[in-house]
Amino acid sequence: NAGVIQTPRHKVTGKGQEATLWCEPISGHSAVFWYRQTIVQGLEFLTYFRNQAPIDDSGMPKERFSAQMPNQSHSTLKIQSTQPQDSAVYLCASSPGQANSDYTFGSGTRLLVI
Amino acid sequence: GEQVEQLPSILRVQEGSSASINCTYENSASNYFPWYKQEPGENPKLIIDIRSNMERKQTQGLIVLLDKKAKRFSLHITDTQPGDSAMYFCAARDSGYNKLTFGKGTVLLVSP
């Protein structure tokens, strides 16, 4: 079990460019979550999929952020027209999906927008 | 939704003493409360959790208390060691949902 795999580990983009972050959940886990971590805000919920279906995207900045889960083996988070305030560590987590199951986090993607 | 407040944001203790972190939540329907430890450059890892049918849980030097009436839960680390220095997050999940809402974290510094 390789755990939750996130790629790339680090990404540097210029302001206005697009960034795509990848997440491969643990095989058999039905729930996939995306969080953003900054020193000021801590762990902010972005969006959540269950059985590949989008369930809750209430934490997503509406205009430039989008997430997809085209199959059970990966999810992507896309940020269009990146801004310096998007700089953060983006964490993906997966869960078996039962009511009281905990998360397994990936190692995160550290995004720096310059 | 849920909101979780976590205090203190920074906690400095001497090796061998105990450390306590407190969290409060708003949604009385929340029924699962995990604690995560995050070391520098690493991802958060679950260290202990408690469900709403319990008031206390203990494992390997960690104690979690849950007061549902006050909507408060806490982590107590006994006999702290320098290796306990890390960021700690509390979280809450409501009964109808799989999403965890996290507190903003506590940096624990254990000095020798």
Side-chain angles (χ1 to χ4, degrees):
Chain A
N1 183 353
V4 176
I5 299 171
Q6 287 190 251
T7 55
R9 288 295 307 272
H10 303 272
K11 187 171 183 66
V12 181
T13 64
K15 182 179 172 182
Q17 291 185 328
E18 182 178 287
T20 300
L21 313 180
W22 291 70
C23 171
E24 181 180 329
I26 291 173
S27 177
H29 280 192
S30 63
V32 173
F33 306 84
W34 285 95
Y35 284 78
R36 176 169 62 183
Q37 185 174 18
T38 60
I39 291 173
V40 173
Q41 296 297 331
L43 281 162
E44 292 179 280
F45 170 76
L46 294 176
T47 189
Y48 152 44
F49 296 86
R50 181 191 288 274
N51 296 321
Q52 299 171 233
I55 302 298
D56 179 357
D57 66 355
S58 60
M60 294 276 273
K62 293 302 178 199
E63 291 189 349
R64 300 182 293 105
F65 283 59
S66 62
Q68 294 183 333
M69 191 160 185
N71 57 60
Q72 64 186 6
S73 65
H74 88 273
S75 174
T76 57
L77 179 69
K78 184 181 291 186
I79 309 171
Q80 294 178 310
S81 184
T82 54
Q83 303 297 310
Q85 61 265 31
D86 299 331
S87 298
V89 176
Y90 289 82
L91 286 163
C92 175
S94 71
S95 163
Q98 286 90 28
N100 288 328
S101 53
D102 67 272
Y103 290 177
T104 300
F105 280 96
S107 298
T109 294
R110 186 175 296 273
L111 176 66
L112 177 63
V113 182
I114 56 175
Chain B
E2 177 62 278
Q3 299 248 16
V4 176
E5 298 294 326
Q6 181 173 349
L7 290 172
S9 54
I10 301 175
L11 179 58
R12 294 183 177 89
V13 300
Q14 289 282 110
E15 180 179 357
S17 65
S18 61
S20 297
I21 304 171
N22 298 291
C23 292
T24 58
Y25 60 99
E26 291 189 355
N27 188 347
S28 56
S30 289
N31 64 359
Y32 176 64
F33 307 92
W35 288 86
Y36 288 81
K37 177 182 180 181
Q38 185 177 31
E39 303 194 59
E42 300 289 323
N43 53 347
K45 292 180 173 63
L46 178 75
I47 54 172
I48 191 169
D49 57 16
I50 190 166
R51 291 166 172 75
S52 58
N53 60 350
M54 302 174 71
E55 294 180 348
R56 175 190 169 100
K57 185 173 180 180
Q58 181 169 357
T59 178
Q60 294 180 333
L62 303 175
I63 300 169
V64 173
L65 302 176
L66 173 63
D67 181 345
K68 286 181 291 184
K69 199 169 181 181
K71 289 190 261 184
R72 181 170 58 221
F73 58 113
S74 56
L75 173 68
H76 306 272
I77 306 173
T78 60
D79 189 24
T80 53
Q81 301 298 310
D84 294 324
S85 296
M87 174 78 85
Y88 291 81
F89 292 97
C90 63
R93 173 189 294 151
D94 70 50
S95 59
Y97 228 123
N98 228 14
K99 178 180 83 176
L100 286 173
T101 301
F102 288 86
K104 288 212 168 141
T106 295
V107 175
L108 173 63
L109 300 168
V110 181
S111 53

